[in-house]
Amino acid sequence: MQNSAALNQYKQVSTKAAIESADPHTLIQLLINGVLERLNSAKFHMLENNVAKKGENISKAISILDGLRASLDMEKGGEMAENLEGLYDYMQRQLLKANYHNKSENIDEVISLMNEIRSGWMAIPQDVRNEYKTKVEK
């Protein structure tokens, strides 16, 4: 039990350090990964019939999706930002249904959608990331 507590403490410190030193692109990547981690955990707890942990992880995933929605720049992002906002909203509704109806298929769908978003996000060339980072720092 002590090892588990130590591991959790290490993860918290490690995550905090990653966030504090991250550029905007990496922060979004961390949020996307956070959603996926919470959803995989929720699915595990759903299969184990641990209703409280399932709900807790789904709730955290929904909150992280709120963070992703809040990070969208609707003015500069145009149609892409609008589409992502609609997709995040859809995913949140699917997760509410998954929690209420105990349907892992809904979680699987959101995991699949988040993996698509992550693939696109990771495909952004490094020079574009650096250009954006330079603009933000000015």
Side-chain angles (χ1 to χ4, degrees), residues 68-87:
L68 287 167
R69 285 175 81 178
S71 73
L72 294 171
D73 186 335
M74 302 307 281
E75 189 175 306
K76 293 179 184 172
E79 186 179 348
M80 175 76 75
E82 288 178 26
N83 290 340
L84 280 170
E85 182 179 42
L87 187 56

Side-chain angles (χ1 to χ4, degrees), residues 48-97:
E48 294 290 314
N49 292 316
N50 187 335
V51 176
K53 288 285 187 184
K54 171 200 70 170
E56 180 183 317
N57 280 282
I58 288 175
S59 178
K60 286 180 181 178
I62 289 171
S63 290
I64 296 170
L65 284 168
D66 273 337
L68 287 167
R69 285 175 81 178
S71 73
L72 294 171
D73 186 335
M74 302 307 281
E75 189 175 306
K76 293 179 184 172
E79 186 179 348
M80 175 76 75
E82 288 178 26
N83 290 340
L84 280 170
E85 182 179 42
L87 187 56
Y88 293 148
D89 178 63
Y90 172 78
M91 288 190 278
Q92 288 176 313
R93 287 184 280 121
Q94 289 303 100
L95 293 176
L96 289 172
K97 290 178 189 175

Side-chain angles (χ1 to χ4, degrees), residues 85-129:
E85 182 179 42
L87 187 56
Y88 293 148
D89 178 63
Y90 172 78
M91 288 190 278
Q92 288 176 313
R93 287 184 280 121
Q94 289 303 100
L95 293 176
L96 289 172
K97 290 178 189 175
N99 196 27
Y100 184 76
H101 298 292
N102 214 39
K103 290 188 143 195
S104 63
E105 304 86 41
N106 294 65
I107 294 175
D108 289 335
E109 180 183 11
V110 175
I111 288 172
S112 176
L113 291 169
M114 286 305 301
N115 279 324
E116 288 287 324
I117 291 169
R118 180 169 59 178
S119 293
W121 192 253
M122 295 308 296
I124 296 173
Q126 188 64 45
D127 60 327
V128 174
R129 294 181 205 176

Side-chain angles (χ1 to χ4, degrees), residues 14-24 26-27 30 133 137:
S14 178
T15 300
K16 184 177 180 187
I19 290 169
E20 289 174 353
S21 64
D23 60 79
T26 303
L27 285 173
L30 289 169
K133 182 179 176 183
E137 290 173 348

Side-chain angles (χ1 to χ4, degrees), residues 1-14:
M1 189 65 116
Q2 269 185 322
N3 288 341
S4 179
L7 181 60
N8 286 335
Q9 183 65 27
Y10 172 78
K11 285 180 183 178
Q12 288 175 355
V13 170
S14 178

